Amino acid sequence: MTAMILSWSVFLAQLMLALGMGCAIWRVARGPRAQDRVLALDTFYVLAAMLLLVFGIRTGSVVYFEAALVIALLGFVATAALSKFLMRGEVIE
């Protein structure tokens, strides 16, 4: 009974994360301003990392956890660089 509840919970989490990623992609494509697109891209990175964590929970493999860590790190750096570029017009001073 507990395994079945866990399996359904993981499936629902994957479904909701995929739905959130779809909404983030829609915002990236239709965002009225560049700031909206950067924020949507940051949301997409976070949701992708969370989806990989859920895959790792489902399969029991640690490879997904390491991939999620790399995606989260690169997403943070990309968001910070894009935000700085939008504010000042340059990334490296």
Side-chain angles (χ1 to χ4, degrees):
M1 180 71 179
T2 306
M4 189 172 84
I5 291 173
L6 180 64
S7 176
W8 275 102
S9 300
V10 168
F11 175 73
L12 286 176
Q14 288 176 330
L15 190 65
M16 295 294 180
L17 288 169
L19 182 66
M21 289 174 70
C23 291
I25 287 174
W26 183 78
R27 179 52 67 188
V28 168
R30 304 261 321 188
R33 296 180 302 170
Q35 291 87 355
D36 296 328
R37 291 187 169 115
V38 170
L39 186 61
L41 193 61
D42 185 53
T43 303
F44 183 78
Y45 279 123
V46 169
L47 291 176
M50 295 300 116
L51 188 61
L52 282 176
L53 288 177
V54 173
F55 276 131
I57 291 171
R58 186 177 194 111
T59 62
S61 175
V62 295
V63 174
Y64 292 110
F65 295 107
E66 294 172 1
L69 181 65
V70 170
I71 285 176
L73 181 66
L74 292 177
F76 173 74
V77 171
T79 301
L82 283 172
S83 299
K84 191 170 181 179
F85 178 75
L86 289 175
M87 287 178 57
R88 297 185 183 170
E90 60 186 355
V91 176
I92 300 173
E93 295 178 15

